[in-house]
Amino acid sequence: MALILGIETSCDETSAAVVSDGRNVLSNVISSQIDIHTQFGGVVPEIASRKHLEAINPVIDQALSDAGVTLGDIDAIGVTYAPGLVGALLVGVSSAKALSYAANKPLIPVHHIRAHICANYIEHKELEPPFVCLVCSGGHSHIIHVRSYTDYQVLGQTRDDAAGEAFDKVARVLGLGYPGGPKVDKLSLSGDENAVSFKKVSFGKGCYDFSFSGIKTGVINYIHNLEQKGEEINKADVAASFQRSVVEVLVDNLVMAAKDVGVSKIALAGGVASNRRLRQEVDLRCKDMQIFYPSPIYCTDNAAMIACSAFYEWQNGKIADLSLNAIPYLGVDLI
Ligand code: KG4
Ligand code: ZN
């Protein structure tokens, strides 16, 4: 049995987890900074770094104690080193390096997007590559061919905003607060998703890239127009119509990619993967395929997925030395 301590600090969640053999979660402690960043309408990088510094040691201690183990019992330490906010990433990387040095444990560098995909392995013990995964979070929107546990091919990605970023911006314009995704999702329940038509961008057959800035600008212009005319805005209709447009683009490309690659399994990952309407659309349109998605707690940032990815990377021979540094931008296929 291999016990991995996972550490995640790439954005606004400080998290540590202990996972055995990549798939069995013994503990998963998440300290969220959302309440602090909500006051500013989004993540403030300097504040995020400082809060990670305050939280990191207690969170790691808690993860070890929840799992009923000590650092001595751990076989390897996995840490997110890319991509993300560089000051935030550095807190996790420095802590992991210190623990690795002090306890003489292997240090495994983990790519955050690969880990989001690995979150699917935690609850779906039967899931094995190959499959096609739609990863959409606050900073990323990718369609990835997962050829093995450590071999990832990017089939498509966003050319402008990430899907979660578009949700957050639209929520801000609607006055719903941060993070916007869950709020737009909830408000949409009471809206008519066919009330407003927002222009969707498709790059044609064989291209799986996304563009969400047009839909986002469409929402902003629509709201400003009504405000200028002094007309009432039905926020639920706008939220539902925006959500439908984003979801349709995401699922159109996911289905096209899965069919072109010839896989029978698809997965969702990242914060937006917990979106109710996205799951509904995938279930509806992918009836001929096996569909996997993580529970909401494993969709948003967490260290269990980091430990899971670290397990497979370690098995494939990946180990870092103490020169490991944080990298703010790094392609999922470039490591
Ligand atoms: O994966 P994640 O926790 O952090 C990043 O790596 O970015 O994703 C956070 C993003 C935020 O943009 C948030 O608004 C979005 O995921 N999100 C959602 C939902 N829950 C979270 N977007 C749409 N619908 C949701 N239910
Ligand atoms: Zn994430």
Side-chain angles (χ1 to χ4, degrees):
M1 184 180 76
L3 269 191
I4 312 261
L5 170 67
I7 298 176
E8 157 64 35
T9 63
S10 68
C11 190
D12 58 350
E13 260 99 29
T14 316
S15 182
V18 177
V19 176
S20 82
D21 291 336
R23 297 197 181 219
N24 304 311
V25 178
L26 305 187
S27 66
N28 185 33
V29 179
I30 303 170
S31 166
S32 177
Q33 305 174 2
I34 281 181
D35 291 348
I36 300 150
H37 298 293
T38 298
Q39 306 163 41
F40 304 98
V43 177
V44 183
E46 287 77 10
I47 296 178
S49 313
R50 249 177 281 149
K51 292 290 159 193
H52 282 308
L53 265 179
E54 287 168 21
I56 189 78
N57 287 341
V59 163
I60 292 172
D61 286 347
Q62 188 68 49
L64 291 170
S65 119
D66 284 1
V69 300
T70 64
L71 188 57
D73 300 321
I74 295 294
D75 294 300
I77 300 168
V79 64
T80 309
Y81 77 112
L85 301 170
V86 71
L89 286 167
L90 273 171
V91 177
V93 168
S94 310
S95 304
K97 287 203 290 194
L99 291 175
S100 155
Y101 180 69
N104 196 22
K105 305 287 178 187
L107 177 67
I108 320 299
V110 173
H111 190 287
H112 185 78
I113 303 302
R114 289 187 176 203
H116 268 301
I117 296 169
C118 288
N120 280 286
Y121 299 133
I122 294 170
E123 294 163 299
H124 303 294
K125 309 293 183 208
E126 75 283 18
L127 175 61
E128 286 177 3
F131 58 92
V132 166
C133 186
L134 169 67
V135 191
C136 33
S137 67
H140 312 273
S141 300
H142 285 88
I143 292 184
I144 293 172
H145 183 197
V146 184
R147 294 191 284 210
S148 80
Y149 287 107
T150 53
D151 180 10
Y152 299 77
Q153 177 193 17
V154 177
L155 300 174
Q157 56 192 306
T158 184
R159 296 192 181 180
D160 40 57
D161 293 348
E165 191 182 353
F167 268 95
D168 292 338
K169 285 185 182 160
V170 163
R172 194 187 306 176
V173 182
L174 289 172
L176 302 179
Y178 174 86
K183 295 185 167 125
V184 169
D185 195 356
K186 194 167 168 212
L187 183 61
S188 297
L189 279 171
S190 55
D192 172 6
E193 64 173 24
N194 296 308
V196 195
S197 168
F198 296 117
K199 196 172 176 300
K200 291 177 288 182
V201 175
S202 154
F203 295 102
K205 227 178 154 320
C207 181
Y208 318 107
D209 283 352
F210 305 108
S211 167
F212 298 113
S213 70
I215 301 175
K216 178 195 71 187
T217 310
V219 174
I220 294 170
N221 289 343
Y222 176 81
I223 291 171
H224 284 172
N225 248 323
L226 288 187
E227 277 171 353
Q228 275 167 357
K229 287 192 219 152
E231 287 177 25
E232 202 185 318
I233 300 160
N234 185 324
K235 290 186 180 182
D237 283 357
V238 176
S241 302
F242 158 78
Q243 181 171 268
R244 176 181 63 99
S245 303
V246 172
V247 163
E248 280 177 0
V249 172
L250 289 171
V251 180
D252 282 352
N253 284 4
L254 174 63
V255 171
M256 180 165 64
K259 295 222 159 106
D260 289 354
V261 170
V263 292
S264 59
K265 289 183 262 186
I266 54 164
L268 304 181
V272 183
S274 54
N275 183 270
R276 173 195 52 86
R277 185 66 182 80
L278 174 63
R279 291 179 174 209
Q280 194 183 59
E281 188 75 10
V282 169
D283 288 343
L284 192 77
R285 294 199 22 211
C286 304
K287 287 207 165 78
D288 51 343
M289 289 185 234
Q290 275 182 281
I291 304 163
F292 301 89
Y293 32 72
S295 299
I297 191 68
Y298 295 124
C299 284
T300 45
D301 292 347
N302 67 89
M305 69 185 195
I306 305 302
C308 178
S309 179
F311 174 75
Y312 292 109
E313 298 290 347
W314 189 33
Q315 278 201 326
N316 197 38
K318 180 160 286 161
I319 295 187
D321 61 26
L322 295 179
S323 66
L324 181 69
N325 206 352
I327 304 179
Y329 301 100
L330 182 67
V332 71
D333 50 352
L334 297 180
I335 60 171

